[in-house]
Amino acid sequence: MIAYLSGVVREIREGSAVVVAGGLGYEVQCPVSTLGRLKVGDVAEFNTRFVVREDAQLLFGFSDADSLRLFDLLIGVSGVGPKLGLAMLSGMPVSALAQGLLSGDVKLLSSVSGVGKKTAERLVLELQNKVPEHLAAPVVGGVKVMPVHSSAGRDAIDALLALGFREQQVRGVVAELLGADPEQTADALIRKSLGRLR
């Protein structure tokens, strides 16, 4: 089992990187968030999962332990293979994906290419009680902000998304505002969020 890999990035491809370690070049399948941090010639570190199938041996790499943890949970669900798990982690940030699983947001999950409604429902059914809550905390200003559970917060998020703002940005701002004052109404959250998002 290869649990960790550190080496020099030799090449960045679509969906993977070639990393040289110990004189060998490893092709590491990565989500977009990890690939975006890599530069050819730099030393990179990966939390990895080695998957052996009948027709292939694949190495999946992640820049952080949270991404690997969520990947492991996703591929543990029947009908979700490593490629689809990677596509889901590439389709949205870890915090948004974890929040979607925790809140049972089938629409959000099925917005990822390759994830149908039935697969999204199965993911929620099997993972809703398994996803660690800290994975759903977005990073705002370098600090993890815990997920939104209040009905006012959820209503504010829904309203802001309807206005066309990006989900990750909206969730982070609303969570931050609720962290400062958990008793705020949805109207107050929307008004304050608009001031920060525009």
Side-chain angles (χ1 to χ4, degrees):
M1 176 69 74
I2 302 171
Y4 170 84
L5 178 66
S6 175
V8 176
V9 178
R10 179 168 181 163
E11 184 182 344
I12 298 173
R13 302 175 176 174
E14 188 175 336
S16 68
V18 176
V19 180
V20 177
L24 296 172
Y26 296 89
E27 182 174 14
V28 185
Q29 311 284 324
C30 305
V32 170
S33 57
T34 296
L35 285 174
R37 298 179 184 181
L38 302 179
K39 289 184 180 169
V40 173
D42 284 359
V43 173
E45 298 182 352
F46 301 89
N47 295 283
T48 59
R49 182 65 62 232
F50 185 55
V51 177
V52 179
R53 300 188 324 211
E54 284 183 24
D55 59 340
Q57 295 182 22
L58 302 169
L59 184 62
F60 295 88
F62 307 89
S63 58
D64 60 272
D66 286 350
S67 296
L68 175 60
R69 178 79 187 274
L70 197 50
F71 177 76
D72 285 340
L73 287 170
L74 291 169
I75 65 173
V77 173
S78 174
V80 179
K83 295 279 186 180
L84 185 55
L86 201 63
M88 293 189 75
L89 285 164
S90 289
M92 65 188 77
V94 168
S95 59
L97 182 53
Q99 179 67 29
L101 291 165
L102 287 168
S103 64
D105 192 339
V106 171
K107 186 177 177 185
L108 173 69
L109 299 174
S110 58
S111 70
V112 176
S113 178
V115 179
K117 186 179 178 188
K118 286 186 178 179
T119 302
E121 288 170 346
R122 188 164 56 248
L123 283 161
V124 169
L125 181 69
E126 293 191 30
L127 298 182
Q128 196 165 29
N129 297 320
K130 292 182 182 176
V131 174
E133 197 165 291
H134 79 273
L135 294 184
V139 176
V140 178
V143 178
K144 278 207 164 200
V145 180
M146 287 315 289
V148 174
H149 292 299
S150 74
S151 60
R154 288 194 298 271
D155 290 346
I157 288 170
D158 289 343
L160 291 163
L161 291 177
L163 292 172
F165 291 104
R166 288 186 19 238
E167 178 151 9
Q168 179 61 15
Q169 193 178 18
V170 165
R171 287 189 184 278
V173 169
V174 171
E176 189 177 20
L177 289 169
L178 281 171
D181 180 4
E183 303 302 316
Q184 294 182 79
T185 64
D187 287 344
L189 288 168
I190 292 166
R191 191 173 61 254
K192 290 177 183 176
S193 295
L194 284 171
R196 294 186 181 202
L197 292 167
R198 286 190 172 157

